[in-house]
Amino acid sequence: MKNTIISLIQESIDAKKKMLDEGQLVYIQSIANKINEAYQHGKKTIIFGNGGSACDALHFSAELVCRFEKNRKALPSIALTENISSLTAIGNDFGYEYVFSRQIEAFANKGDIVIAITTSGNSENVIKAVEKAKEMGLFVIGLTGEDGGQLKLLSDMCYRAPSKVTGRIQECHILVLHILAKLVEEKIFAE
């Protein structure tokens, strides 16, 4: 059991060390700049994913709406997994593959940033939502695993966590989202 614990911690450390690559750092900074630009123009972020990625979407959206590390004005952000009535109604009436795309159609406006999270890069409902976002002329940021799947081809920017293991990918995603929250707060609310 102890060896399994050590192995998992080491895998997480190894994946995060790869995030220190200059290319990764510049890319994360570029994503933050794009989000900052949207907020400076009075726009919002719309975030979604399935399972653990749904939780990451909720978590990041809460950091923007409430606060990350400083008390400041709320930033507009919607996690599409917030409304269970919409999710179940859309899933029942149209099919689960449309639970996010219908909400993109309802809530997104030109200039908003769409953040799609899928560790495989191939989740059908995420891909359909990204396709809807692109059809509407929205800027899409993808967060996925090392391979990137279909999401890397559809996104305007796609952060690919340096791992093929779902747990390590999710651990990298939450770190990236915390970094983005910090960079957004620093830029938008510079004192």
Side-chain angles (χ1 to χ4, degrees), residues 33-45:
N33 289 340
K34 195 65 185 173
I35 295 169
N36 285 332
E37 183 182 310
Y39 279 130
Q40 288 168 335
H41 288 95
K43 302 303 178 182
K44 66 183 169 295
T45 56

Side-chain angles (χ1 to χ4, degrees), residues 121-187:
N122 295 314
S123 299
E124 185 178 10
N125 58 358
V126 172
I127 297 305
K128 284 200 179 302
V130 168
E131 290 170 344
K132 175 56 78 176
K134 298 304 291 177
E135 178 186 309
M136 294 173 65
L138 303 172
F139 192 89
V140 176
I141 297 169
L143 270 67
T144 188
E146 194 169 74
D147 174 66
Q150 296 175 60
L151 189 60
K152 75 178 174 207
L153 304 172
L154 296 170
S155 301
D156 294 293
M157 299 181 82
C158 187
Y159 176 79
R160 298 186 308 181
S163 179
K164 294 179 195 278
V165 178
T166 299
R168 305 304 77 76
I169 294 166
Q170 290 172 329
E171 290 160 11
C172 292
H173 284 175
I174 198 61
L175 178 56
V176 166
L177 293 170
H178 278 163
I179 292 167
L180 293 173
K182 174 79 170 176
L183 295 176
V184 167
E185 273 191 349
E186 284 182 351
K187 178 71 173 179

Side-chain angles (χ1 to χ4, degrees), residues 63-82:
E63 304 285 21
L64 296 170
V65 172
C66 181
R67 68 186 296 274
F68 182 60
E69 291 183 347
K70 63 166 44 173
N71 292 328
R72 39 80 177 167
K73 183 181 173 204
L75 292 170
S77 182
I78 300 169
L80 298 184
T81 49
E82 291 174 348

Side-chain angles (χ1 to χ4, degrees), residues 50-145:
N50 295 296
S53 298
C55 296
D56 289 345
L58 288 164
H59 183 152
F60 185 54
S61 183
E63 304 285 21
L64 296 170
V65 172
C66 181
R67 68 186 296 274
F68 182 60
E69 291 183 347
K70 63 166 44 173
N71 292 328
R72 39 80 177 167
K73 183 181 173 204
L75 292 170
S77 182
I78 300 169
L80 298 184
T81 49
E82 291 174 348
N83 188 329
I84 196 65
S85 294
S86 289
L87 288 172
T88 56
I90 296 165
N92 185 64
D93 294 352
F94 293 95
Y96 188 69
E97 64 271 27
Y98 298 103
V99 295
F100 300 135
S101 61
R102 292 287 294 181
Q103 292 184 81
I104 291 289
E105 185 178 346
F107 300 125
N109 297 303
K110 191 87 169 155
D112 290 342
I113 299 288
V114 170
I115 302 173
I117 310 172
T118 164
T119 58
S120 69
N122 295 314
S123 299
E124 185 178 10
N125 58 358
V126 172
I127 297 305
K128 284 200 179 302
V130 168
E131 290 170 344
K132 175 56 78 176
K134 298 304 291 177
E135 178 186 309
M136 294 173 65
L138 303 172
F139 192 89
V140 176
I141 297 169
L143 270 67
T144 188

